[in-house]
Amino acid sequence: MTTLWIAVFVPALVQFTLFLRWLHRRVRDDEIQRAFVRDLACSHLPHLYNALRHIADEMGVHLSDPPPLRFIDSTRPGDDLDPKRERGW
């Protein structure tokens, strides 16, 4: 009877451990990707817009204003409708 329990629980424990490792990596990768996209939008897009505006001015092309950056927290319902919350534009 003991070998049956070992034969059932050891592979189940190994599979559960591998699942937890996979889940942790998946969540961590999503966090890294979210931070990268936010950094790209906050730090680099304004510089890119300024460089493109400078190039367009040298070429005599009129550009409209760049679009504003808005971040919506999808974990909070009604976040995009809350005007009191600071948005970090």
Side-chain angles (χ1 to χ4, degrees):
M1 186 73 173
T2 319
T3 34
L4 178 65
W5 287 107
I6 292 173
V8 169
F9 284 119
V10 169
L13 183 64
V14 169
Q15 187 172 7
F16 183 68
T17 305
L18 291 175
F19 169 73
L20 288 179
R21 273 187 68 202
W22 172 83
L23 185 64
H24 178 263
R25 281 188 181 172
R26 176 84 184 234
V27 169
R28 185 69 183 141
D29 287 346
D30 287 345
E31 289 173 2
I32 291 171
Q33 184 178 13
R34 192 172 299 120
F36 172 76
V37 169
R38 185 173 188 93
D39 179 57
L40 180 71
C42 290
S43 300
H44 301 292
L45 277 182
H47 296 295
L48 291 173
Y49 280 130
N50 287 337
L52 288 175
R53 184 167 304 280
H54 180 68
I55 292 170
D57 287 342
E58 286 182 359
M59 297 180 74
V61 177
H62 174 69
L63 294 177
S64 59
D65 290 336
L69 297 176
R70 284 191 57 192
F71 291 101
I72 298 172
D73 187 5
S74 61
T75 59
R76 290 183 46 184
D79 183 46
D80 56 341
L81 302 175
D82 187 8
K84 297 175 190 155
R85 186 167 184 258
E86 187 171 325
R87 300 209 189 263
W89 290 348

